[in-house]
Amino acid sequence: MKNRIGWIGTGLMGAPMARHLASTHDVVVYNRTAEKARALLPTVTVAENPEQIVAQCDIIFTMLGMPEDVKSMYEDVLIPRAKPGTILIDATTSSPRLARQLTHLGKARNIVVFDAPVTGGVSGATNGTLTTMVGGDPDVFKTIRPLLERFSKTLLYMGDSGQGQQTKLANQIAIAGALASLAEALAFAEASQLPMEHVLTMIQSGAASSYASLMYGPKMLKSDYEAT
């Protein structure tokens, strides 16, 4: 028998992640822009509001926009309304401090809260090859591990609540540095009137090669700002 899983937030990342879960579980989704949730039909069931998901599901994922979205969803809806024993898993890139606060609030109602941000971009979410960094209860992590593996190529348990978000911050520092140096290199090459395609090939094939150069270098040359 399939377990019913709740998923709140079906944007660029959340939609494909929910699809992967729906291949093995009964998934109920909600998105504040209803059309984005209905685009997943008939693979999932669509809820009209998050309260319906809370009423139907004992494990609920969230993939929201900003920390303030996470704060309001958890403090106003999920934690006050969820049944004792519910497991809440936030995949949003958010605040370590907020993750710890929500875990504390959840414990008061016998609700387990995990922070589980991901990296790998839209392509990783689509292909099920994300890297997921988890903070929270180590014993309950064993319960949710098979679910996280549905969309993760690399799954890392990082420790207590907030440690998943701390790990994502380290990742973002590394990404920011790689992107900044790549942009500087390409700007220098352009100012030097070098053949840009050859410059990028050189960077990608030598010691300067990186995920940033392979994934974002071609987009920089085309001034393509769409998410990857």
Side-chain angles (χ1 to χ4, degrees):
M1 179 179 178
K2 292 184 176 181
N3 295 322
R4 173 159 278 198
I5 307 298
W7 191 285
I8 300 175
T10 57
L12 290 173
M13 298 287 289
M17 292 165 72
R19 281 196 191 97
H20 287 298
L21 276 177
S23 67
T24 54
H25 293 79
D26 182 5
V27 176
V28 185
V29 306
Y30 168 77
N31 195 80
R32 60 188 176 186
T33 303
E35 290 77 11
K36 291 184 178 180
R38 288 196 288 267
L40 298 177
L41 292 170
T43 305
V44 303
T45 302
V46 175
E48 295 182 3
N49 52 60
E51 288 81 2
Q52 288 184 352
I53 288 182
V54 170
Q56 298 177 43
C57 305
D58 295 323
I59 300 177
I60 302 170
F61 285 82
T62 54
M63 186 58 150
L64 306 174
M66 302 294 289
E68 53 264 33
D69 301 316
V70 175
K71 180 178 173 65
S72 61
M73 179 61 70
Y74 276 71
E75 292 186 355
D76 298 342
V77 180
L78 297 182
I79 292 175
R81 296 174 181 267
K83 300 179 292 292
T86 298
I87 301 172
L88 305 177
I89 307 163
D90 184 34
T92 314
T93 297
S94 185
S95 158
R97 179 181 297 177
L98 177 60
R100 290 189 287 269
Q101 290 173 347
L102 297 178
T103 295
H104 179 73
L105 292 174
K107 281 183 178 179
R109 297 202 62 246
N110 193 27
I111 293 167
V112 181
V113 181
F114 285 93
D115 48 298
V118 301
T119 186
V122 176
S123 60
T126 301
N127 297 322
T129 57
L130 293 170
T131 295
T132 303
M133 303 145 273
V134 184
D137 187 303
D139 294 323
V140 183
F141 172 69
K142 298 173 185 176
T143 298
I144 66 171
R145 183 181 189 111
L147 301 177
L148 296 167
E149 288 175 340
R150 296 305 306 164
F151 50 76
S152 305
K153 180 179 180 180
T154 303
L155 178 58
L156 304 170
Y157 175 73
M158 302 308 300
D160 290 339
S161 175
Q163 294 300 87
Q165 296 294 353
Q166 290 287 161
T167 308
K168 183 60 185 287
L169 283 174
N171 179 76
Q172 297 306 86
I173 292 169
I175 289 176
L179 286 173
S181 62
L182 176 62
E184 290 288 349
L186 294 179
F188 171 80
E190 186 175 44
S192 301
Q193 299 182 331
L194 298 174
M196 296 302 292
E197 294 288 347
H198 290 350
V199 170
L200 182 58
T201 297
M202 177 272 299
I203 291 172
Q204 291 175 332
S205 61
S209 182
S210 66
Y211 180 89
S213 69
L214 294 170
M215 293 297 296
Y216 300 114
K219 292 169 68 66
M220 288 182 179
L221 295 192
K222 296 185 291 186
S223 298
D224 177 2
Y225 303 110
E226 292 297 318
T228 300

